[in-house]
Amino acid sequence: PEFAKIVSTKYYEPRRWQNKNKMLRLYDGATGVKTGYTKEAGRCLVSSATKENMTLVCTLLNCPTTYERTIKLFDDAFSAYKNVRLVQANDVFEIDDGKRKIQAITGKDFDYPLLEEEKVLIEIKTQAVNNRKSEKIVGQMEIYLAKRLLFSANLYKL
């Protein structure tokens, strides 16, 4: 939170410092981060922006049109990707521990940015776990995108 506050500050009154990152003024939703230049790396820019509960980070190295290019990349990404709620905190999963079926929840929402065509590639798997330290944790939930693990969480007995 402190870093985010610093890099998103447009003007720091006590020192009369103006943030040189023009993205904070040019792009609606821009939240930072840092400009830079060296002879070897050229013009560089690390930017972040948040829209519709989705934050993107863009890094450009040796790019003479850093701001224009960053705006184009952000616009393209924000229009192509949408945050999709894959699991709600109160979604009920049925876990079979071999003896009985147990109803469980994660207790957490899980959102993930997806392209429209990726939605059909999401798979949610659950499995029972034998957790002797906690009787409340009865299983594990895993979310996959194209067979790659995105997220895992404990499942808690209802």
Side-chain angles (χ1 to χ4, degrees):
E2 189 67 21
F3 177 76
K5 180 182 172 188
I6 292 167
V7 300
S8 66
T9 300
K10 294 177 185 175
Y11 185 75
Y12 184 66
E13 182 63 42
R15 299 276 188 172
R16 296 184 179 157
W17 287 339
Q18 174 87 25
N19 193 325
K20 293 181 182 180
N21 185 353
K22 293 178 188 175
M23 286 300 294
L24 294 173
R25 292 180 294 285
L26 293 175
Y27 196 78
D28 185 37
T31 54
V33 171
K34 180 74 177 98
T35 64
Y37 175 83
T38 65
K39 286 182 185 179
E40 294 81 17
R43 293 193 185 283
C44 301
L45 179 63
V46 177
S47 295
S48 61
T50 301
K51 287 186 181 182
E52 298 177 18
N53 204 27
M54 182 170 52
T55 299
L56 299 176
V57 176
C58 177
T59 302
L60 295 176
L61 305 174
N62 196 18
C63 182
T65 58
T66 53
Y67 296 107
E68 296 85 355
R69 184 72 179 127
T70 298
I71 289 168
K72 174 81 168 106
L73 289 168
F74 277 152
D75 284 346
D76 289 350
F78 279 121
S79 67
Y81 287 87
K82 298 298 175 214
N83 243 358
V84 177
R85 170 113 343 131
L86 299 175
V87 173
Q88 291 188 0
N90 58 354
D91 283 350
V92 177
F93 295 91
E94 194 169 85
I95 305 297
D96 186 348
D97 70 357
K99 298 176 189 170
R100 63 190 191 284
K101 295 186 189 283
I102 304 167
Q103 290 191 332
I105 61 170
T106 64
K108 298 177 186 176
D109 293 333
F110 182 70
D111 299 336
Y112 195 79
L114 294 172
L115 296 168
E116 186 63 36
E117 58 269 19
E118 289 177 320
K119 291 178 183 179
V120 297
L121 302 174
I122 293 292
E123 184 179 6
I124 299 175
K125 296 180 181 181
T126 61
Q127 63 184 16
V129 295
N130 186 3
N131 188 346
R132 295 178 187 196
K133 293 180 184 177
S134 171
E135 290 182 17
K136 292 183 179 185
I137 299 173
V138 294
Q140 187 77 23
M141 179 212 50
E142 297 176 333
I143 301 175
Y144 292 85
L145 171 60
K147 304 203 183 302
R148 291 191 175 148
L149 182 64
L150 292 179
F151 178 77
S152 65
N154 289 327
L155 291 173
Y156 298 92
K157 186 176 181 179
L158 280 179

